[in-house]
Amino acid sequence: MARRKILFVNIILMLMVISLIVLPLVTIKNGKFVGSDDNATKAITQIDKNYKPWIKPIWEPPSGEIESLLFACQAAIGAGFIGFYLGYVKGKKNGNR
């Protein structure tokens, strides 16, 4: 009975995650999906036309695709670390039983 309940909760959670991914794509027509950095730069330049950044990045990726690749790798490594940690904690908890 507990396994069915866990399965039901997992299915509900998966449906919620899928809806979080799909709903913005379906409901927002002609939307621009840009990063927060681009939006912040645009907002700052609208407020102050003479704004100049006080620091420059040490290294800039040669293209947008490489920047996206690095961002995706960063997200994958973070998700892997969180998944590993949660599995480790759960395994340790089950080992103590």
Side-chain angles (χ1 to χ4, degrees):
M1 187 71 175
R3 289 184 125 192
R4 290 186 100 185
K5 186 176 180 180
I6 291 172
L7 179 66
F8 180 73
V9 169
N10 285 338
I11 289 172
I12 295 295
L13 289 174
M14 285 192 312
L15 290 175
M16 290 172 67
V17 168
I18 290 170
S19 67
L20 284 173
I21 294 169
V22 172
L23 279 177
L25 297 174
V26 172
T27 58
I28 301 173
K29 301 291 182 192
N30 299 326
K32 293 181 180 178
F33 294 98
V34 295
S36 60
D37 292 344
D38 294 335
N39 286 336
T41 303
K42 185 177 177 183
I44 290 171
T45 53
Q46 285 178 347
I47 294 169
D48 184 8
K49 304 265 187 229
N50 297 324
Y51 173 77
K52 291 185 180 181
W54 56 275
I55 191 168
K56 291 185 177 185
I58 297 171
W59 177 76
E60 287 191 36
S63 69
E65 290 82 12
I66 293 175
E67 186 176 352
S68 296
L69 172 71
L70 293 174
F71 185 75
C73 287
Q74 178 185 1
I77 290 169
F81 177 77
I82 290 171
F84 175 79
Y85 178 75
L86 292 176
Y88 175 77
V89 169
K90 182 164 176 72
K92 190 175 179 180
K93 185 178 175 182
N94 288 342
N96 288 337
R97 287 183 185 179

Coordinates of all heavy atoms in Angstrom, one line a residue:
M1 N 0.8 -1.2 0.0 CA 0.0 0.0 0.0 C 0.9 1.3 0.0 O 0.6 2.2 -0.7 CB -0.9 0.0 1.2 CG -1.9 1.1 1.2 SD -3.2 0.8 0.0 CE -4.3 2.0 0.3
A2 N 1.9 1.2 0.8 CA 2.8 2.4 0.9 C 3.5 2.6 -0.5 O 3.8 3.7 -0.9 CB 3.8 2.2 2.0
R3 N 3.9 1.5 -1.2 CA 4.5 1.6 -2.5 C 3.6 2.3 -3.5 O 4.1 3.1 -4.3 CB 5.0 0.2 -3.0 CG 6.1 -0.4 -2.2 CD 6.5 -1.6 -2.8 NE 7.9 -1.5 -3.1 CZ 8.6 -2.4 -3.8 NH1 8.0 -3.4 -4.4 NH2 9.9 -2.2 -4.0
R4 N 2.3 1.9 -3.5 CA 1.4 2.6 -4.4 C 1.3 4.1 -4.1 O 1.2 4.9 -5.0 CB 0.0 1.9 -4.3 CG 0.0 0.5 -4.8 CD -1.4 0.0 -4.8 NE -1.9 0.1 -6.2 CZ -3.1 -0.2 -6.5 NH1 -4.0 -0.6 -5.6 NH2 -3.5 -0.1 -7.8
K5 N 1.3 4.4 -2.8 CA 1.2 5.8 -2.5 C 2.4 6.6 -2.9 O 2.3 7.7 -3.5 CB 1.0 5.9 -0.9 CG 0.8 7.4 -0.5 CD 0.6 7.4 1.0 CE 0.4 8.9 1.4 NZ 0.1 9.0 2.9
I6 N 3.6 6.0 -2.8 CA 4.8 6.6 -3.2 C 4.8 6.8 -4.7 O 5.2 7.8 -5.3 CB 6.1 5.8 -2.7 CG1 6.2 6.0 -1.2 CG2 7.3 6.3 -3.4 CD1 7.3 5.1 -0.6
L7 N 4.4 5.7 -5.4 CA 4.3 5.8 -6.9 C 3.3 6.9 -7.3 O 3.6 7.6 -8.3 CB 3.8 4.4 -7.4 CG 3.7 4.3 -9.0 CD1 5.0 4.5 -9.6 CD2 3.0 3.0 -9.4
F8 N 2.2 7.0 -6.7 CA 1.2 8.0 -7.0 C 1.8 9.4 -6.8 O 1.7 10.3 -7.6 CB 0.0 7.8 -6.1 CG -1.1 8.8 -6.4 CD1 -1.8 8.8 -7.6 CD2 -1.3 9.8 -5.5 CE1 -2.8 9.7 -7.8 CE2 -2.3 10.8 -5.7 CZ -3.0 10.7 -6.9
V9 N 2.5 9.6 -5.7 CA 3.1 10.9 -5.4 C 4.2 11.2 -6.4 O 4.3 12.3 -6.9 CB 3.7 10.9 -4.0 CG1 4.6 12.1 -3.7 CG2 2.6 10.9 -2.9
N10 N 5.0 10.2 -6.8 CA 6.0 10.4 -7.8 C 5.4 10.8 -9.2 O 5.9 11.7 -9.9 CB 6.9 9.2 -8.0 CG 7.9 9.1 -6.8 OD1 8.2 10.0 -6.1 ND2 8.3 7.9 -6.6
I11 N 4.3 10.1 -9.5 CA 3.7 10.5 -10.8 C 3.1 11.9 -10.8 O 3.3 12.7 -11.7 CB 2.5 9.5 -11.1 CG1 3.2 8.1 -11.5 CG2 1.6 9.9 -12.2 CD1 2.2 7.0 -11.6
I12 N 2.5 12.3 -9.6 CA 2.0 13.7 -9.5 C 3.2 14.7 -9.6 O 3.1 15.7 -10.3 CB 1.3 13.8 -8.2 CG1 0.0 13.0 -8.1 CG2 0.9 15.3 -7.9 CD1 -1.0 13.3 -9.1
L13 N 4.3 14.4 -9.0 CA 5.4 15.3 -9.0 C 6.0 15.4 -10.5 O 6.3 16.5 -10.9 CB 6.5 14.8 -8.1 CG 6.2 15.0 -6.6 CD1 7.3 14.4 -5.7 CD2 6.1 16.5 -6.2
M14 N 6.0 14.2 -11.2 CA 6.5 14.3 -12.6 C 5.6 15.1 -13.4 O 6.0 15.9 -14.3 CB 6.7 12.9 -13.1 CG 7.9 12.2 -12.6 SD 8.4 10.6 -13.4 CE 6.9 9.7 -13.5
L15 N 4.3 15.0 -13.2 CA 3.3 15.7 -14.0 C 3.5 17.2 -13.7 O 3.4 18.1 -14.6 CB 1.9 15.3 -13.7 CG 1.5 13.9 -14.3 CD1 0.1 13.5 -13.8 CD2 1.7 13.9 -15.8
M16 N 3.7 17.6 -12.5 CA 3.9 19.0 -12.1 C 5.2 19.5 -12.8 O 5.2 20.7 -13.3 CB 4.0 19.1 -10.6 CG 2.7 18.9 -9.9 SD 2.8 18.9 -8.1 CE 3.2 20.6 -7.7
V17 N 6.3 18.8 -12.8 CA 7.5 19.2 -13.4 C 7.3 19.4 -14.9 O 7.7 20.4 -15.5 CB 8.7 18.2 -13.1 CG1 9.9 18.5 -14.0 CG2 9.0 18.3 -11.7
I18 N 6.6 18.4 -15.5 CA 6.4 18.5 -17.0 C 5.5 19.7 -17.3 O 5.7 20.4 -18.3 CB 5.7 17.2 -17.5 CG1 6.8 16.1 -17.5 CG2 5.2 17.4 -18.9 CD1 6.2 14.7 -17.7
S19 N 4.5 20.0 -16.4 CA 3.6 21.1 -16.7 C 4.4 22.4 -16.5 O 4.2 23.4 -17.2 CB 2.4 21.1 -15.8 OG 2.8 21.3 -14.4
L20 N 5.4 22.5 -15.6 CA 6.2 23.7 -15.4 C 7.1 23.9 -16.7 O 7.4 25.1 -17.0 CB 7.1 23.6 -14.2 CG 6.4 23.8 -12.9 CD1 7.4 23.5 -11.7 CD2 5.9 25.2 -12.7
I21 N 7.4 22.9 -17.4 CA 8.3 23.0 -18.6 C 7.4 23.4 -19.8 O 7.7 24.2 -20.6 CB 9.0 21.7 -18.8 CG1 10.1 21.5 -17.7 CG2 9.7 21.7 -20.2 CD1 10.7 20.1 -17.7
V22 N 6.3 22.7 -19.9 CA 5.4 22.8 -21.1 C 4.6 24.1 -21.1 O 4.4 24.8 -22.1 CB 4.6 21.6 -21.3 CG1 3.6 21.7 -22.5 CG2 5.5 20.4 -21.6
L23 N 4.0 24.4 -20.0 CA 3.0 25.5 -19.9 C 3.6 26.8 -20.4 O 2.9 27.5 -21.2 CB 2.4 25.6 -18.5 CG 1.3 24.7 -18.1 CD1 0.9 24.9 -16.7 CD2 0.1 24.8 -19.1
P24 N 4.8 27.3 -20.0 CA 5.3 28.5 -20.5 C 5.4 28.5 -22.0 O 5.2 29.5 -22.7 CB 6.6 28.7 -19.8 CG 6.5 27.9 -18.6 CD 5.6 26.7 -18.9
L25 N 5.8 27.3 -22.6 CA 6.0 27.2 -24.0 C 4.7 27.3 -24.8 O 4.6 27.8 -25.9 CB 6.7 25.9 -24.4 CG 8.2 25.8 -23.8 CD1 8.7 24.4 -24.1 CD2 9.1 26.9 -24.4
V26 N 3.6 26.8 -24.2 CA 2.3 26.8 -24.8 C 1.6 28.1 -24.6 O 0.9 28.6 -25.5 CB 1.5 25.6 -24.3 CG1 0.1 25.6 -24.8 CG2 2.2 24.3 -24.6
T27 N 1.6 28.6 -23.4 CA 0.8 29.8 -23.1 C 1.4 31.1 -23.5 O 0.7 32.1 -23.8 CB 0.5 29.9 -21.6 OG1 1.8 29.9 -20.9 CG2 -0.3 28.7 -21.1
I28 N 2.7 31.2 -23.6 CA 3.3 32.5 -24.0 C 3.7 32.4 -25.5 O 4.6 31.7 -25.9 CB 4.6 32.8 -23.2 CG1 4.3 32.8 -21.7 CG2 5.3 34.1 -23.7 CD1 5.5 32.9 -20.8
K29 N 2.9 33.1 -26.3 CA 3.1 33.2 -27.7 C 4.0 34.3 -28.1 O 4.0 35.4 -27.5 CB 1.7 33.4 -28.4 CG 0.7 32.4 -28.2 CD 1.0 31.1 -28.8 CE -0.1 30.1 -28.5 NZ 0.3 28.7 -28.8
N30 N 4.9 34.0 -29.0 CA 5.9 34.9 -29.4 C 6.8 35.5 -28.3 O 7.2 36.7 -28.4 CB 5.3 36.1 -30.2 CG 4.6 35.5 -31.5 OD1 5.0 34.6 -32.1 ND2 3.5 36.2 -31.8
G31 N 7.0 34.7 -27.3 CA 7.7 35.2 -26.1 C 9.2 35.1 -26.4 O 9.7 34.2 -27.2
K32 N 10.0 36.0 -25.8 CA 11.4 35.9 -25.9 C 11.9 35.2 -24.7 O 11.7 35.7 -23.6 CB 12.0 37.3 -26.1 CG 11.7 38.0 -27.3 CD 12.4 39.3 -27.4 CE 12.1 40.0 -28.7 NZ 12.7 41.4 -28.7
F33 N 12.6 34.1 -24.8 CA 13.2 33.4 -23.7 C 14.7 33.8 -23.6 O 15.5 33.1 -24.2 CB 13.0 31.9 -23.9 CG 11.6 31.5 -23.8 CD1 10.8 31.3 -25.0 CD2 10.9 31.3 -22.6 CE1 9.5 30.9 -24.9 CE2 9.6 31.0 -22.5 CZ 8.9 30.8 -23.7
V34 N 14.9 34.9 -22.9 CA 16.3 35.3 -22.8 C 16.7 35.2 -21.3 O 15.8 35.0 -20.4 CB 16.5 36.8 -23.2 CG1 16.2 36.9 -24.7 CG2 15.6 37.7 -22.5
G35 N 17.9 35.2 -21.1 CA 18.4 35.1 -19.7 C 18.2 36.3 -18.9 O 18.0 37.4 -19.4
S36 N 18.4 36.2 -17.6 CA 18.2 37.3 -16.7 C 19.3 38.3 -16.8 O 19.1 39.5 -16.6 CB 18.2 36.8 -15.2 OG 19.4 36.1 -14.9
D37 N 20.5 37.9 -17.3 CA 21.6 38.8 -17.5 C 21.2 39.8 -18.6 O 21.4 41.0 -18.5 CB 22.9 38.1 -17.9 CG 23.5 37.3 -16.8 OD1 23.1 37.6 -15.6 OD2 24.3 36.5 -17.1
D38 N 20.6 39.3 -19.7 CA 20.2 40.2 -20.8 C 19.1 41.2 -20.3 O 19.1 42.3 -20.7 CB 19.7 39.4 -22.0 CG 20.8 38.6 -22.6 OD1 22.0 39.0 -22.5 OD2 20.5 37.5 -23.2
N39 N 18.2 40.6 -19.5 CA 17.1 41.5 -19.1 C 17.6 42.6 -18.1 O 17.2 43.7 -18.1 CB 16.0 40.7 -18.3 CG 15.2 39.9 -19.3 OD1 15.0 40.3 -20.5 ND2 14.6 38.8 -18.9
A40 N 18.6 42.2 -17.3 CA 19.1 43.2 -16.3 C 19.9 44.3 -17.1 O 19.8 45.4 -16.7 CB 20.0 42.4 -15.3
T41 N 20.7 43.8 -18.1 CA 21.4 44.8 -18.8 C 20.5 45.8 -19.5 O 20.7 47.0 -19.6 CB 22.3 44.1 -19.9 OG1 23.2 43.2 -19.2 CG2 23.1 45.1 -20.7
K42 N 19.4 45.3 -20.1 CA 18.5 46.1 -20.8 C 17.8 47.1 -19.8 O 17.6 48.3 -20.1 CB 17.4 45.2 -21.5 CG 16.4 46.0 -22.3 CD 15.4 45.0 -23.0 CE 14.4 45.7 -23.7 NZ 13.4 44.8 -24.3
A43 N 17.4 46.6 -18.6 CA 16.8 47.5 -17.7 C 17.7 48.6 -17.2 O 17.3 49.7 -17.0 CB 16.3 46.6 -16.5
I44 N 19.0 48.2 -16.9 CA 19.9 49.2 -16.5 C 20.2 50.3 -17.5 O 20.3 51.5 -17.2 CB 21.3 48.5 -16.1 CG1 21.0 47.7 -14.8 CG2 22.4 49.5 -15.8 CD1 22.2 46.8 -14.4
T45 N 20.3 49.8 -18.8 CA 20.6 50.8 -19.8 C 19.4 51.7 -20.1 O 19.5 52.8 -20.5 CB 21.0 50.2 -21.1 OG1 20.1 49.2 -21.5 CG2 22.4 49.6 -21.0
Q46 N 18.2 51.2 -19.8 CA 17.0 52.1 -19.9 C 17.0 53.1 -18.8 O 16.5 54.3 -19.0 CB 15.7 51.3 -19.8 CG 15.4 50.5 -21.1 CD 14.2 49.6 -21.0 OE1 13.7 49.4 -19.9 NE2 13.7 49.1 -22.1
I47 N 17.4 52.7 -17.6 CA 17.4 53.7 -16.5 C 18.5 54.7 -16.6 O 18.3 55.9 -16.4 CB 17.6 52.9 -15.1 CG1 16.4 52.0 -14.9 CG2 17.8 53.8 -14.0 CD1 16.5 51.0 -13.8
D48 N 19.7 54.2 -16.9 CA 20.9 55.1 -17.0 C 21.6 54.9 -18.3 O 22.3 53.8 -18.5 CB 21.8 54.9 -15.8 CG 23.0 55.8 -15.8 OD1 23.0 56.8 -16.6 OD2 23.9 55.6 -15.0
K49 N 21.5 55.8 -19.3 CA 22.1 55.6 -20.6 C 23.6 55.7 -20.5 O 24.3 55.1 -21.4 CB 21.6 56.7 -21.5 CG 20.1 56.8 -21.6 CD 19.6 56.0 -22.8 CE 18.1 56.3 -23.0 NZ 17.4 55.1 -23.1
N50 N 24.2 56.3 -19.5 CA 25.6 56.4 -19.4 C 26.3 55.3 -18.6 O 27.4 55.4 -18.2 CB 26.0 57.8 -18.9 CG 25.5 58.9 -19.8 OD1 25.6 58.7 -21.0 ND2 25.1 60.0 -19.2
Y51 N 25.5 54.3 -18.2 CA 26.0 53.3 -17.3 C 27.1 52.5 -18.0 O 27.1 52.1 -19.2 CB 24.9 52.3 -17.0 CG 25.4 51.1 -16.2 CD1 25.7 51.2 -14.9 CD2 25.6 49.9 -16.8 CE1 26.2 50.1 -14.1 CE2 26.0 48.8 -16.1 CZ 26.3 48.9 -14.8 OH 26.8 47.8 -14.1
K52 N 28.2 52.4 -17.3 CA 29.3 51.5 -17.7 C 29.6 50.5 -16.6 O 29.7 50.9 -15.4 CB 30.6 52.3 -18.0 CG 30.4 53.2 -19.2 CD 31.6 53.9 -19.6 CE 31.4 54.8 -20.8 NZ 32.6 55.5 -21.2
P53 N 29.7 49.2 -16.9 CA 30.0 48.3 -15.9 C 31.3 48.6 -15.2 O 32.3 49.0 -15.8 CB 30.1 46.9 -16.7 CG 29.5 47.2 -18.0 CD 29.6 48.6 -18.2
W54 N 31.3 48.4 -13.9 CA 32.5 48.7 -13.1 C 33.6 47.6 -13.1 O 34.7 47.7 -12.7 CB 32.2 49.1 -11.7 CG 31.4 48.0 -11.0 CD1 30.0 47.9 -11.0 CD2 31.9 47.0 -10.1 NE1 29.7 46.8 -10.2 CE2 30.8 46.3 -9.7 CE3 33.2 46.7 -9.7 CZ2 30.9 45.2 -8.8 CZ3 33.3 45.6 -8.8 CH2 32.2 44.9 -8.4
I55 N 33.2 46.4 -13.6 CA 34.1 45.3 -13.7 C 33.8 44.5 -15.0 O 32.6 44.4 -15.4 CB 34.0 44.4 -12.5 CG1 35.1 43.4 -12.4 CG2 32.7 43.7 -12.4 CD1 35.3 42.7 -11.1
K56 N 34.8 43.9 -15.6 CA 34.6 43.1 -16.7 C 34.8 41.6 -16.4 O 35.7 41.3 -15.5 CB 35.5 43.5 -17.9 CG 35.2 44.9 -18.4 CD 36.0 45.2 -19.6 CE 35.6 46.6 -20.1 NZ 36.3 46.9 -21.3
P57 N 34.2 40.7 -17.1 CA 34.5 39.3 -16.8 C 35.9 38.9 -17.2 O 36.5 39.5 -18.1 CB 33.5 38.5 -17.7 CG 32.8 39.5 -18.6 CD 33.2 40.9 -18.1
I58 N 36.5 38.0 -16.4 CA 37.8 37.5 -16.7 C 37.9 36.9 -18.1 O 38.9 37.1 -18.8 CB 38.3 36.5 -15.6 CG1 38.3 37.3 -14.3 CG2 39.6 36.0 -15.9 CD1 38.5 36.3 -13.1
W59 N 36.9 36.1 -18.4 CA 36.9 35.4 -19.7 C 35.5 35.3 -20.2 O 34.5 35.1 -19.4 CB 37.4 33.9 -19.5 CG 37.3 33.1 -20.7 CD1 38.2 33.2 -21.8 CD2 36.4 32.1 -21.0 NE1 37.9 32.2 -22.7 CE2 36.8 31.5 -22.3 CE3 35.3 31.6 -20.4 CZ2 36.0 30.5 -22.9 CZ3 34.6 30.5 -21.0 CH2 35.0 30.0 -22.2
E60 N 35.3 35.6 -21.5 CA 34.0 35.5 -22.1 C 34.0 34.3 -23.1 O 35.0 34.2 -23.9 CB 33.6 36.8 -22.8 CG 33.3 37.9 -21.8 CD 32.7 39.1 -22.6 OE1 32.0 38.9 -23.5 OE2 33.0 40.2 -22.1
P61 N 33.0 33.5 -23.1 CA 32.9 32.4 -24.1 C 32.9 33.0 -25.5 O 32.3 34.0 -25.8 CB 31.6 31.7 -23.8 CG 31.2 32.2 -22.4 CD 31.8 33.5 -22.2
P62 N 33.6 32.3 -26.4 CA 33.7 32.8 -27.8 C 32.3 32.9 -28.5 O 32.2 33.7 -29.5 CB 34.6 31.8 -28.5 CG 34.8 30.7 -27.6 CD 34.3 31.0 -26.2
S63 N 31.3 32.1 -28.1 CA 30.0 32.2 -28.8 C 28.9 31.9 -27.8 O 29.1 31.4 -26.7 CB 30.0 31.2 -30.0 OG 29.9 29.9 -29.5
G64 N 27.7 32.2 -28.2 CA 26.5 31.9 -27.4 C 26.3 30.5 -27.1 O 25.8 30.1 -26.1
E65 N 26.6 29.7 -28.1 CA 26.4 28.2 -28.0 C 27.3 27.6 -26.9 O 26.9 26.8 -26.1 CB 26.7 27.5 -29.3 CG 25.7 27.8 -30.4 CD 25.9 29.1 -31.1 OE1 27.0 29.7 -31.0 OE2 24.9 29.5 -31.8
I66 N 28.6 28.1 -26.9 CA 29.5 27.6 -25.9 C 29.0 28.1 -24.5 O 29.1 27.4 -23.5 CB 30.9 28.1 -26.2 CG1 31.4 27.4 -27.5 CG2 31.9 27.8 -25.0 CD1 32.8 27.8 -28.0
E67 N 28.5 29.3 -24.4 CA 28.0 29.8 -23.2 C 26.8 29.0 -22.7 O 26.8 28.6 -21.5 CB 27.6 31.3 -23.3 CG 27.1 31.9 -22.1 CD 26.8 33.4 -22.3 OE1 27.0 33.9 -23.4 OE2 26.3 34.0 -21.4
S68 N 26.0 28.6 -23.6 CA 24.8 27.7 -23.3 C 25.3 26.3 -22.8 O 24.8 25.7 -21.9 CB 23.9 27.6 -24.5 OG 23.3 28.8 -24.8
L69 N 26.3 25.8 -23.5 CA 26.9 24.5 -23.2 C 27.5 24.6 -21.8 O 27.2 23.6 -21.0 CB 28.0 24.1 -24.2 CG 28.8 22.9 -23.8 CD1 27.9 21.6 -24.0 CD2 30.0 22.8 -24.7
L70 N 28.2 25.6 -21.5 CA 28.8 25.7 -20.1 C 27.7 25.8 -19.1 O 27.8 25.2 -18.0 CB 29.7 26.9 -20.0 CG 31.0 26.7 -20.9 CD1 31.8 28.0 -20.9 CD2 31.9 25.6 -20.4
F71 N 26.6 26.6 -19.4 CA 25.5 26.7 -18.4 C 24.8 25.4 -18.2 O 24.5 25.0 -17.1 CB 24.5 27.8 -19.0 CG 23.4 28.1 -18.0 CD1 23.7 28.9 -16.9 CD2 22.2 27.6 -18.2 CE1 22.7 29.1 -16.0 CE2 21.2 27.8 -17.3 CZ 21.4 28.6 -16.2
A72 N 24.6 24.6 -19.3 CA 24.0 23.3 -19.2 C 24.9 22.4 -18.4 O 24.3 21.6 -17.6 CB 23.7 22.8 -20.6
C73 N 26.2 22.4 -18.6 CA 27.1 21.5 -17.9 C 27.0 21.9 -16.4 O 27.0 21.0 -15.5 CB 28.5 21.7 -18.4 SG 28.8 20.9 -20.0
Q74 N 27.0 23.2 -16.1 CA 26.9 23.6 -14.7 C 25.6 23.1 -14.1 O 25.7 22.6 -12.9 CB 27.0 25.1 -14.7 CG 26.9 25.7 -13.3 CD 26.8 27.2 -13.3 OE1 26.8 27.8 -14.4 NE2 26.7 27.8 -12.2
A75 N 24.5 23.2 -14.8 CA 23.3 22.7 -14.2 C 23.3 21.2 -14.0 O 22.8 20.7 -13.0 CB 22.1 23.1 -15.2
A76 N 23.9 20.5 -15.0 CA 23.9 19.0 -14.9 C 24.8 18.6 -13.7 O 24.5 17.7 -13.0 CB 24.5 18.4 -16.2
I77 N 25.9 19.2 -13.5 CA 26.8 18.9 -12.4 C 26.1 19.2 -11.1 O 26.2 18.4 -10.2 CB 28.1 19.7 -12.5 CG1 28.9 19.1 -13.7 CG2 28.9 19.6 -11.2 CD1 30.2 20.0 -14.1
G78 N 25.4 20.3 -11.0 CA 24.7 20.7 -9.8 C 23.6 19.7 -9.5 O 23.4 19.2 -8.4
A79 N 22.8 19.3 -10.6 CA 21.8 18.3 -10.4 C 22.3 16.9 -10.0 O 21.8 16.2 -9.1 CB 20.9 18.2 -11.7
G80 N 23.5 16.6 -10.6 CA 24.1 15.3 -10.2 C 24.6 15.3 -8.8 O 24.4 14.3 -8.1
F81 N 25.1 16.4 -8.3 CA 25.6 16.5 -7.0 C 24.4 16.4 -6.0 O 24.5 15.7 -5.0 CB 26.3 17.8 -6.8 CG 26.8 18.0 -5.3 CD1 27.9 17.3 -4.8 CD2 26.1 18.9 -4.5 CE1 28.3 17.5 -3.5 CE2 26.5 19.0 -3.2 CZ 27.6 18.4 -2.7
I82 N 23.3 17.1 -6.3 CA 22.2 17.1 -5.4 C 21.6 15.7 -5.4 O 21.2 15.1 -4.3 CB 21.1 18.1 -5.8 CG1 21.7 19.5 -5.6 CG2 19.8 17.9 -5.1 CD1 20.8 20.6 -6.1
G83 N 21.5 15.0 -6.6 CA 20.9 13.7 -6.6 C 21.8 12.7 -5.9 O 21.3 11.8 -5.1
F84 N 23.1 12.8 -6.0 CA 24.0 12.0 -5.3 C 23.9 12.2 -3.8 O 23.8 11.2 -3.0 CB 25.5 12.2 -5.7 CG 26.5 11.5 -4.9 CD1 26.7 10.1 -5.2 CD2 27.2 12.1 -3.9 CE1 27.7 9.4 -4.5 CE2 28.1 11.4 -3.2 CZ 28.4 10.0 -3.5
Y85 N 23.9 13.4 -3.4 CA 23.7 13.7 -1.9 C 22.4 13.1 -1.4 O 22.5 12.5 -0.3 CB 23.8 15.2 -1.7 CG 23.7 15.5 -0.2 CD1 24.7 15.3 0.7 CD2 22.5 16.1 0.3 CE1 24.6 15.6 2.0 CE2 22.4 16.4 1.6 CZ 23.4 16.1 2.5 OH 23.3 16.4 3.8
L86 N 21.3 13.4 -2.1 CA 20.1 12.8 -1.6 C 20.1 11.3 -1.5 O 19.6 10.7 -0.6 CB 18.9 13.3 -2.4 CG 18.6 14.8 -2.4 CD1 17.5 15.2 -3.3 CD2 18.2 15.2 -0.9
G87 N 20.7 10.7 -2.5 CA 20.8 9.2 -2.5 C 21.7 8.7 -1.4 O 21.4 7.7 -0.7
Y88 N 22.7 9.4 -1.2 CA 23.6 9.1 -0.1 C 22.9 9.2 1.3 O 23.0 8.3 2.1 CB 24.9 10.0 -0.1 CG 25.8 9.8 1.0 CD1 26.7 8.7 1.1 CD2 25.8 10.7 2.1 CE1 27.5 8.5 2.1 CE2 26.7 10.5 3.2 CZ 27.5 9.4 3.2 OH 28.4 9.2 4.2
V89 N 22.2 10.2 1.5 CA 21.5 10.4 2.8 C 20.4 9.4 2.9 O 20.3 8.8 4.0 CB 20.9 11.9 2.8 CG1 20.0 12.0 4.0 CG2 22.0 12.9 2.9
K90 N 19.7 9.1 1.9 CA 18.7 8.1 1.9 C 19.3 6.7 2.2 O 18.8 5.9 3.0 CB 17.8 8.0 0.7 CG 16.7 7.0 0.7 CD 15.7 7.3 -0.3 CE 14.6 6.3 -0.3 NZ 13.7 6.4 0.7
G91 N 20.4 6.4 1.5 CA 21.0 5.1 1.7 C 21.6 5.0 3.1 O 21.5 3.9 3.7
K92 N 22.1 6.0 3.6 CA 22.7 6.0 5.0 C 21.5 5.8 6.0 O 21.7 5.1 7.0 CB 23.4 7.4 5.3 CG 24.2 7.4 6.5 CD 24.9 8.7 6.6 CE 25.7 8.8 7.9 NZ 26.5 10.0 8.0
K93 N 20.4 6.5 5.7 CA 19.2 6.4 6.6 C 18.7 4.9 6.6 O 18.4 4.4 7.6 CB 18.2 7.3 6.2 CG 17.0 7.4 7.1 CD 16.0 8.4 6.6 CE 14.7 8.4 7.4 NZ 13.7 9.4 6.9
N94 N 18.6 4.3 5.4 CA 18.2 3.0 5.3 C 19.2 2.0 5.9 O 18.8 0.9 6.4 CB 17.9 2.6 3.8 CG 16.7 3.3 3.3 OD1 15.8 3.8 4.1 ND2 16.6 3.4 2.0
G95 N 20.5 2.3 5.8 CA 21.5 1.4 6.4 C 21.4 1.4 7.9 O 21.9 0.4 8.5
N96 N 21.0 2.4 8.5 CA 20.9 2.5 10.0 C 19.7 1.7 10.5 O 19.6 1.6 11.7 CB 20.8 3.9 10.5 CG 22.2 4.6 10.3 OD1 23.2 4.0 10.2 ND2 22.1 6.0 10.2
R97 N 18.8 1.3 9.7 CA 17.6 0.6 10.2 C 17.9 -0.8 10.6 O 18.7 -1.5 10.2 CB 16.5 0.6 9.1 CG 15.9 1.9 8.9 CD 14.8 1.8 7.9 NE 14.2 3.1 7.6 CZ 13.3 3.3 6.8 NH1 12.7 2.3 6.1 NH2 12.8 4.5 6.6

